[in-house]
Amino acid sequence: MAQLLDGAGKLGWVLLKAVTRFVFMFLNNCVAIPSYCLYLLLLQPLRIWDSSTFWHIEGIMFKWLLAMVSSWGWIAGYTVTEWGDDVRPISEEEAMVIVNHQSTGDVCTLMMCLQDKGTVVRKMMWLMDHVFKYTNFGLVSLIHGDFFIRQGKAHRDKQLVYLKDHLDKYYHSRDRKWIVLFPEGGFLRKRRETSQLFAKKHSLPHLTHVTLPRLGATHVILKTLSAQQENGSVGSETGTPNQSGNKRKGLQWVIDVTIAYPKARPMDIQTWIFGYRPPTVTHVHYRMYPIKEVPVEAEALTDWLYQRFVEKEELLAHFYDTGSFPQPDGHKEAVSRQMTLDPVWLCAIQSFAFVSGYMWYSVLQYLYCCLF
């Protein structure tokens, strides 16, 4: 009987915590997202007069919104430990970021671990499945200039044309630096069987912890944002001017990000919202490749990209066996870094969001009373 009561008490606490978190996040969205939109609406004259300043301000608020999402997991004890290359020194250089995709929690994890990487978050562009357009964050991503890609053979060619047009129109004009994509084109659990059948048919490696990546978006990004050289690799200068009129260097790096969850249990967005899983450390491994080492010709790029995901398979297999990533070449052991967020900064951002929400509510209520 005592055990039953104890179990009921724990369940009651989990439910109470889940409901409290959901109410807080609902209110958080209700004040933060409309405030973001209304501030930008108010600043539209600045967009015409000085677009670089406008997008600078938008980027700061976009980073704050992503920090709010990060805080949801942080409060629940969901943290990130980083491994491999330190990407902070190249945070001001242009890079394409390729990430393995296991669940909706991957996006939340990236929102958290990129917060301390300089201006990356406010100057980044995301490639996401078109379904995300219809979520609470979809409007924010549309305004920010992220690209929503529709999956499936019927849409593939047309989507790649849309992607190139989108990059030409928004990437340079809004001074973007990093572009993030998930080359697998879907969640691991949904694509694993199809990927393995494709690999068997074409004598490709059998992968369990990742799936074979798709080439299309990666190829378009490299060809659009980097200068192609005669040897089939990509160069270091595009000749495209940035907002200040200076010549941009173009993509300088490809950053290979591998996300690993303890016991291969991915964290989904529901977990971040309700917080029903015990405190969990997600592990993120970085590996940087200079852009000059990346081929741009389709066949060579396919082989290069497949090799990166074979390496991801090996990294994840080692992690699930040992609880850590292997040491880099030339090192005796792998060194991890605990990613931290400043709780005072998070509280300040949340306070600003709720104060802004109250201010805009008061303004709109006053205008409504004046008009009606």
Side-chain angles (χ1 to χ4, degrees):
M1 185 66 179
Q3 290 182 342
L4 183 62
L5 290 174
D6 184 56
K10 290 181 179 179
L11 178 61
W13 167 245
V14 170
L15 291 174
L16 176 62
K17 183 174 70 172
V19 171
T20 303
R21 286 176 59 86
F22 177 79
V23 171
F24 171 76
M25 291 170 200
F26 177 79
L27 294 174
N28 204 179
N29 278 288
C30 287
V31 297
I33 294 177
S35 294
Y36 166 87
C37 297
L38 289 167
Y39 277 126
L40 294 183
L41 183 63
L42 184 67
L43 291 172
Q44 286 304 303
L46 178 63
R47 182 180 180 180
I48 299 172
W49 181 260
D50 186 355
S51 63
S52 62
T53 301
F54 174 86
W55 289 113
H56 177 82
I57 296 171
E58 184 278 334
I60 292 173
M61 291 194 292
F62 183 79
K63 180 177 181 177
W64 290 352
L65 287 175
L66 268 59
M68 292 178 198
V69 177
S70 303
S71 72
W72 302 346
W74 187 262
I75 294 170
Y78 304 147
T79 57
V80 171
T81 293
E82 299 178 316
W83 303 75
D85 296 333
D86 185 359
V87 299
R88 286 173 294 184
I90 65 166
S91 62
E92 297 302 318
E93 300 182 42
E94 294 187 39
M96 179 176 67
V97 183
I98 56 175
V99 192
N100 62 312
H101 207 11
Q102 300 185 59
S103 70
T104 50
D106 297 339
V107 175
C108 300
T109 297
L110 289 173
M111 288 180 179
M112 177 183 286
C113 67
L114 295 178
Q115 284 292 326
D116 66 343
K117 308 298 186 294
T119 62
V120 163
V121 174
R122 66 181 179 86
K123 290 189 174 185
M124 71 193 308
M125 178 182 287
W126 297 76
L127 264 67
M128 297 178 283
D129 190 279
H130 79 287
V131 173
F132 281 94
K133 186 188 298 185
Y134 307 105
T135 65
N136 60 317
F137 219 74
L139 179 60
V140 172
S141 292
L142 279 171
I143 294 173
H144 183 69
D146 297 328
F147 183 77
F148 298 94
I149 192 164
R150 187 181 292 271
Q151 304 293 342
K153 291 183 179 180
H155 309 283
R156 190 168 301 163
D157 293 339
K158 188 176 294 185
Q159 289 296 302
L160 295 179
V161 173
Y162 292 158
L163 173 59
K164 185 183 185 310
D165 291 343
H166 186 87
L167 294 173
D168 289 335
K169 186 175 182 180
Y170 297 116
Y171 186 84
H172 295 302
S173 66
R174 299 186 182 182
D175 196 25
R176 297 298 175 241
K177 296 291 187 182
W178 286 21
I179 183 165
V180 181
L181 69 154
F182 302 93
E184 291 166 291
F187 297 141
L188 174 63
R189 68 178 187 276
K190 293 183 177 181
R191 289 209 62 240
R192 179 159 39 200
E193 184 177 353
T194 303
S195 174
Q196 290 174 346
L197 290 173
F198 180 86
K200 184 177 180 180
K201 181 179 179 180
H202 295 87
S203 301
L204 295 169
H206 180 87
L207 305 176
T208 302
H209 305 303
V210 294
T211 63
L212 289 171
R214 292 169 175 169
L215 177 68
T218 305
H219 195 207
V220 169
I221 291 169
L222 286 173
K223 291 187 69 176
T224 305
L225 303 182
S226 301
Q228 187 173 354
Q229 305 296 304
E230 293 181 0
N231 61 3
S233 64
V234 291
S236 58
E237 198 167 272
T238 64
T240 304
N242 58 18
Q243 289 179 338
S244 62
N246 298 321
K247 187 178 291 186
R248 296 177 68 110
K249 292 183 178 180
L251 290 179
Q252 298 294 296
W253 302 90
V254 172
I255 303 174
D256 186 4
V257 177
T258 303
I259 300 175
Y261 297 95
K263 300 180 180 178
R265 292 180 57 210
M267 189 91 68
D268 55 28
I269 187 64
Q270 295 93 320
T271 307
W272 276 67
I273 292 174
F274 295 106
Y276 49 76
R277 185 182 293 191
T280 302
V281 179
T282 301
H283 297 259
V284 178
H285 183 277
Y286 303 97
R287 184 172 287 171
M288 303 186 306
Y289 297 91
I291 200 67
K292 291 182 179 180
E293 297 180 4
V294 182
V296 75
E297 190 273 325
E299 185 175 349
L301 178 59
T302 300
D303 293 339
W304 186 90
L305 200 57
Y306 280 176
Q307 185 57 38
R308 300 290 76 77
F309 276 78
V310 169
E311 292 173 0
K312 284 179 180 290
E313 175 78 11
E314 295 169 353
L315 286 171
L316 290 168
H318 188 280
F319 177 85
Y320 295 139
D321 287 341
T322 66
S324 64
F325 285 109
Q327 68 273 17
D329 294 337
H331 294 72
K332 293 183 178 180
E333 61 179 13
V335 178
S336 63
R337 305 175 297 274
Q338 184 70 33
M339 187 270 163
T340 59
L341 292 174
D342 184 355
V344 176
W345 178 63
L346 293 177
C347 288
I349 290 173
Q350 291 286 7
S351 299
F352 178 75
F354 281 97
V355 170
S356 295
Y358 177 76
M359 180 196 74
W360 283 113
Y361 172 78
S362 300
V363 168
L364 294 176
Q365 186 182 45
Y366 173 77
L367 292 175
Y368 178 83
C369 293
C370 290
L371 293 174
F372 303 102

